[in-house]
Amino acid sequence: MYSGPLRAALTALLAVGVATAATGCSSSDSDAAAANGKLDVVAAFYPLQYVTQQVGGDRVSVTNLVEPGTEPHDLELSPKQVAEVTDADAVVYLRDFQPAVDDAVDGGAKDKSLDVATVEPLKDGYVPLEEGELHEDEKGKDPHVWLDPTRLAGIADAVAKKLGDLDPDHASEFTANAKALDTKLSTLDEEYRTGLASCQEKTIVVSHNAFGYLAARYGLTQVAITGLTPEEEPSAARLAEVANYAKQNGVKEIFFETLVSPKIAEALAAEVGAKAEVLDPIEGIEKNSGDDYFSVMRTNLTTLRGALQCQ
């Protein structure tokens, strides 16, 4: 992985190369969008792609920078993808979640980007189980805002405004689409609030710190094995800390996710006599799964209700 300064320099060179080389470096999707009078929008990863498609409808062509089934945190962009960011009418991204996307935006798309982290202030990363300072891999702002449906509704409204500024003739259509999505998200929020209101257990032990917003919204406590990115290796002290907590509190499920290795969660589950089950942070959708944001959120709710012994 390139260092920050080297990555930024390469991004700048690529942007210059795109500008001076043949326009064939641009994606065919971008060309098709222009030919059809659609806005060409680049979304940094799946939840932002989904929202932009729902809000933009037939008036936008949306390119997701992350391939289906791929974990998005450590995305590296190809020259073609840097060109897509530079050439797009708009870029919807979340700053500090994917450094390569930040660099590409800064290199040629800052004036046409929407950083969804600015819609509502992000929360700090989680606090350790014991009193004291944050662990080094726990520091920083939690980016996983889409797991709170009410926050995702705010992002939808911001996307509608961005698209409306670019295409004023269809601004009312974008606003109406966002309102329809907001209604669906409000229904999902009610399902979660009702479904998790009467649970015997209130703690979820998860493989990485992705569920803080969901936990805060619905009165749960998240205990995470690793920090804000799933590739981090937990320290032996952290593993022991979580294992002791799980044993003392009779935790029956240790949750892992779909796009990263389950080995650590499975090993911890075996040690404490629990089951390892999937709880999906929806950072991406598995290829050919047929799922979308709402179907995965509802599967997560069913999983949580079973694990937390909800009535």
Side-chain angles (χ1 to χ4, degrees), residues 129-130 135 137-138 224-226 232-245 247 264 268 271:
L129 296 176
E130 298 177 356
H135 295 177
D137 64 355
E138 296 166 352
I225 300 170
T226 62
E232 293 170 352
E233 289 290 334
S235 66
R238 180 62 183 178
L239 279 172
E241 187 179 26
V242 176
N244 288 337
Y245 181 92
K247 290 175 182 177
I264 292 175
L268 181 62
E271 180 179 343

Side-chain angles (χ1 to χ4, degrees), residues 209-273:
N209 179 24
F211 298 91
Y213 293 99
L214 185 150
R217 177 69 182 168
Y218 303 112
L220 305 178
T221 297
Q222 172 190 236
V223 174
I225 300 170
T226 62
L228 292 169
T229 58
E231 292 85 1
E232 293 170 352
E233 289 290 334
S235 66
R238 180 62 183 178
L239 279 172
E241 187 179 26
V242 176
N244 288 337
Y245 181 92
K247 290 175 182 177
Q248 292 170 7
N249 291 275
V251 171
K252 301 300 182 185
E253 282 84 15
I254 307 293
F255 293 112
F256 64 94
E257 55 199 69
T258 54
L259 301 181
V260 296
S261 172
K263 290 182 179 179
I264 292 175
E266 289 174 342
L268 181 62
E271 180 179 343
V272 303

Side-chain angles (χ1 to χ4, degrees), residues 31-94:
D31 295 338
N36 293 328
K38 296 182 178 182
L39 292 173
D40 173 36
V41 184
V42 168
F45 58 100
Y46 173 74
L48 304 186
Q49 173 199 3
Y50 182 79
V51 167
T52 304
Q53 287 174 327
Q54 295 298 304
V55 172
D58 294 336
R59 303 294 180 185
V60 301
S61 176
V62 184
T63 299
N64 185 352
L65 292 174
V66 181
E67 290 291 327
T70 303
E71 210 289 318
H73 282 82
D74 288 329
L75 173 70
E76 293 292 345
L77 298 181
S78 68
K80 178 183 176 182
Q81 289 176 307
V82 173
E84 288 173 338
V85 172
T86 302
D87 295 343
D89 294 311
V91 181
V92 182
Y93 78 117
L94 197 163

Side-chain angles (χ1 to χ4, degrees), residues 79-298:
K80 178 183 176 182
Q81 289 176 307
V82 173
E84 288 173 338
V85 172
T86 302
D87 295 343
D89 294 311
V91 181
V92 182
Y93 78 117
L94 197 163
R95 183 162 285 273
D96 296 330
F97 185 65
Q98 298 161 296
V101 177
D102 295 351
D103 290 343
V105 168
D106 291 345
K110 205 163 188 178
D111 59 343
K112 54 189 176 184
S113 64
L114 170 63
D115 173 11
V116 302
T118 65
V119 173
E120 186 175 347
L122 301 182
K123 295 181 178 180
D124 289 326
Y126 73 110
V127 177
L129 296 176
E130 298 177 356
E131 296 291 334
E133 294 294 322
L134 288 173
H135 295 177
E136 282 300 319
D137 64 355
E138 296 166 352
K139 293 180 179 179
K141 299 294 183 180
D142 184 353
H144 304 88
V145 292
W146 57 90
L147 292 174
D148 178 344
T150 64
R151 281 191 172 242
L152 194 60
I155 290 172
D157 295 341
V159 169
K161 184 180 185 307
K162 183 68 175 181
L163 297 180
D165 290 343
L166 293 169
D167 185 0
D169 290 343
H170 299 103
S172 61
E173 182 177 340
F174 300 139
T175 300
N177 289 345
K179 184 176 181 180
L181 180 57
D182 291 353
T183 298
K184 291 174 62 178
L185 289 166
S186 179
T187 298
L188 179 65
D189 176 53
E190 179 61 25
E191 290 174 16
Y192 263 79
R193 288 197 297 113
T194 301
L196 299 176
S198 56
C199 303
Q200 294 182 33
E201 306 294 335
K202 291 291 185 179
T203 299
I204 54 174
V205 177
V206 297
S207 59
H208 99 277
N209 179 24
F211 298 91
Y213 293 99
L214 185 150
R217 177 69 182 168
Y218 303 112
L220 305 178
T221 297
Q222 172 190 236
V223 174
I225 300 170
T226 62
L228 292 169
T229 58
E231 292 85 1
E232 293 170 352
E233 289 290 334
S235 66
R238 180 62 183 178
L239 279 172
E241 187 179 26
V242 176
N244 288 337
Y245 181 92
K247 290 175 182 177
Q248 292 170 7
N249 291 275
V251 171
K252 301 300 182 185
E253 282 84 15
I254 307 293
F255 293 112
F256 64 94
E257 55 199 69
T258 54
L259 301 181
V260 296
S261 172
K263 290 182 179 179
I264 292 175
E266 289 174 342
L268 181 62
E271 180 179 343
V272 303
K275 294 190 300 181
E277 294 192 26
V278 171
L279 192 65
D280 197 330
I282 325 183
E283 293 175 350
I285 294 292
E286 291 187 287
K287 192 173 183 178
N288 300 323
S289 68
D291 285 321
D292 66 9
Y293 173 82
F294 282 95
S295 66
V296 177
M297 281 292 284
R298 290 189 167 104

